[in-house]
Amino acid sequence: MNTRVDPNKLQDFMGKAVGDIGAGMSAALVLIGDRLGLYKALAAHGPLTPTELATHTHTHERYIREWLNNQAAGGYVDYDVVAKKYSLSPEQACALADETSPCFIGGAFQIIAAVMKAEPRMQENFRTGGGLDWCDHHHDLFVGTERFFRPNYAGNLVAHWIPSLDGVVPKLVAGASVADVGCGLGTSTILMAEAYPHSRFWGFDFHADSIDLARSRAHAAGVADRVTFETAKSTDYPDAGGKPFDFVTHFDCLHDMGDPTGAARHVLKTLASDGTWMIVEPFAGDAPEDNFNPVGRVYYAASTMICVPASIAHHGPALGAQAGESTIRKVALDGGFTRFRRATQTPFNLVLEARP
Ligand SMILES: C[S@@+](CC[C@H](N)C(=O)[O-])C[C@H]1O[C@@H](n2cnc3c(N)ncnc32)[C@H](O)[C@@H]1O
């Protein structure tokens, strides 16, 4: 062994790495649990034996038994040694079985699946400097991203984020026109439309399949009368039927764009002179070392595999998911905005306000 290696530090590192290897190896199993409804069945009917869980979910007992032992070893399910039954604690059920909980993590594993599929292409990009357009990812990325962000938006957007902005709530209550740019599957647009029935909403995204899904979700949510989803770029979406928007939003997408400053300019062009632009970005400090923590680790991984190549695919500046407030401030000011501030934050998001 290299004499410079400290065995205690090596042991610490290997302990951490084994934890990561276990998590990585188990990611496909969490995805299977999510897709086959194994967590939901455990939450609804547990404690269960492997045979009982297999019966409830129309699956094969031998696979279920092995899956349950992996999950118990990782702390994702509980095991009763005496009864030989498996169950979810209330906390595990929140995170794994309840799509409406603010802690639901199922979407993250769908994103991981899409990222693994992008690995060969990204390996090539590391050599060539090429990009990977958002639209060229596996479908799991679009649906997984929506499921990953939705709990956070449902818990924060209407209750905390919009009220943190200067004077926006009264306008939305009275009836305002709103553009949600880079809206993806439209969750944020629909949440706002549900909360402010007198306002009119437009959701724009350049990914046509996401816009199709957003439209059907608006119908399902009963808000299609006040929400229009259209395929459009952040630099060329139309105005609010001949009038400027009162409120424009970008949720977790400005840093992905090929021309963030052009997007900022287009917001200014389509915004009323007393309007507000809300930019929601992943939480980050300005210096890389500010983000060397578990949340920053997740975001830098997503940034490397999704956000940076998405911008490079459009010859963009590749701001990255950990761009931080100073970088976004520069984008807004370069785009012509004169006022900019951090309105609020959560452990996962910065909520930034720009005014003309
Ligand atoms: C990380 S996703 C976020 C989606 C959605 N805002 C959300 O929070 O769930 C980024 C979105 O930005 C969209 N996007 C990226 N560049 C765009 C551009 N130049 N114009 C319009 N949409 C764009 C992508 O298609 C994708 O739906």
Side-chain angles (χ1 to χ4, degrees), residues 134-135 145-146 149 153 181-184 188 204-207 210 232-234 251-253 256-258:
W134 171 268
C135 308
T145 298
E146 191 274 337
F149 286 147
Y153 296 168
V181 183
C183 65
S188 47
F204 301 113
D205 198 290
F206 72 3
H207 184 228
S210 290
K233 288 193 214 141
S234 56
F251 290 92
D252 280 297
C253 60
D256 289 318
M257 292 179 175

Side-chain angles (χ1 to χ4, degrees), residues 4-19:
R4 283 175 300 172
V5 169
D6 177 331
N8 293 324
K9 287 185 182 166
L10 179 61
Q11 196 171 341
D12 285 351
F13 179 79
M14 291 307 290
K16 180 183 134 50
V18 169

Side-chain angles (χ1 to χ4, degrees), residues 16-100:
K16 180 183 134 50
V18 169
D20 288 350
I21 293 165
M25 291 288 284
S26 305
L29 284 78
V30 177
L31 193 63
I32 286 172
D34 180 42
R35 293 211 215 261
L36 295 183
L38 305 182
Y39 295 117
K40 289 186 175 83
L42 268 179
H45 307 292
L48 296 174
T49 64
T51 304
E52 288 166 342
L53 179 57
T55 304
H56 277 295
T57 54
H58 310 289
T59 51
H60 282 267
E61 185 276 342
R62 183 66 193 93
Y63 284 117
I64 291 295
R65 196 179 351 137
E66 215 67 0
W67 181 86
L68 280 166
N69 287 334
N70 160 271
Q71 297 291 297
Y76 274 45
V77 309
D78 287 344
Y79 180 57
D80 181 332
V81 182
V82 176
K84 300 202 180 315
K85 290 197 175 201
Y86 301 80
S87 61
L88 290 183
S89 68
E91 297 75 26
Q92 290 161 340
C94 250
L96 297 163
D98 180 359
E99 305 249 0
T100 66

Side-chain angles (χ1 to χ4, degrees), residues 235-258:
T235 45
D236 70 3
Y237 61 85
D239 59 18
K243 289 189 297 181
F245 292 106
D246 301 300
F247 184 42
V248 177
T249 58
H250 280 65
F251 290 92
D252 280 297
C253 60
L254 187 64
H255 64 269
D256 289 318
M257 292 179 175

Side-chain angles (χ1 to χ4, degrees), residues 118-355:
E119 182 272 334
R121 169 76 178 269
M122 283 306 302
Q123 197 187 129
E124 193 187 319
N125 285 344
F126 270 62
R127 293 185 203 282
T128 63
L132 174 56
D133 191 15
W134 171 268
C135 308
D136 290 339
H137 277 276
H138 187 274
H139 182 74
D140 270 338
L141 181 64
F142 318 131
V143 178
T145 298
E146 191 274 337
R147 291 176 81 214
F148 182 58
F149 286 147
R150 189 196 319 141
N152 195 20
Y153 296 168
N156 289 302
L157 172 53
V158 171
H160 304 296
W161 294 349
I162 296 176
S164 75
L165 305 170
D166 193 13
V168 174
V169 169
K171 286 187 191 174
L172 291 174
V173 169
S177 54
V178 182
D180 186 10
V181 183
C183 65
L185 272 58
T187 294
S188 47
T189 334
I190 291 168
L191 283 169
M192 291 190 284
E194 286 171 338
Y196 304 109
H198 297 303
S199 286
R200 184 81 178 77
F201 298 85
W202 282 260
F204 301 113
D205 198 290
F206 72 3
H207 184 228
D209 291 352
S210 290
I211 287 294
D212 284 346
L213 282 170
R215 281 189 189 126
S216 58
R217 286 173 183 213
H219 278 284
V223 295
D225 59 326
R226 53 188 180 276
V227 181
T228 304
F229 285 110
E230 276 183 42
T231 305
K233 288 193 214 141
S234 56
T235 45
D236 70 3
Y237 61 85
D239 59 18
K243 289 189 297 181
F245 292 106
D246 301 300
F247 184 42
V248 177
T249 58
H250 280 65
F251 290 92
D252 280 297
C253 60
L254 187 64
H255 64 269
D256 289 318
M257 292 179 175
D259 183 6
T261 307
R265 257 186 238 111
H266 196 68
V267 175
L268 191 63
K269 196 171 140 194
T270 55
L271 189 67
S273 56
D274 63 345
T276 299
W277 180 24
M278 177 169 73
I279 308 141
V280 175
E281 278 285 303
F283 186 87
D286 287 335
E289 60 271 24
D290 297 339
N291 309 316
F292 295 166
N293 55 57
V295 173
R297 185 187 188 193
V298 172
Y299 279 143
Y300 275 122
S303 187
T304 312
M305 298 297 280
I306 303 165
C307 312
V308 163
S311 183
I312 289 177
H314 295 272
H315 313 290
L319 302 179
Q322 294 288 266
E325 182 179 340
S326 296
T327 301
I328 301 298
R329 174 191 299 270
K330 183 167 177 352
V331 168
L333 299 186
D334 287 352
F337 284 84
T338 62
R339 290 172 285 172
F340 184 93
R341 71 179 179 104
R342 182 186 302 202
T344 189
Q345 65 186 54
T346 70
F348 291 98
N349 289 102
L350 293 173
V351 179
L352 307 165
E353 178 191 72
R355 309 287 305 270

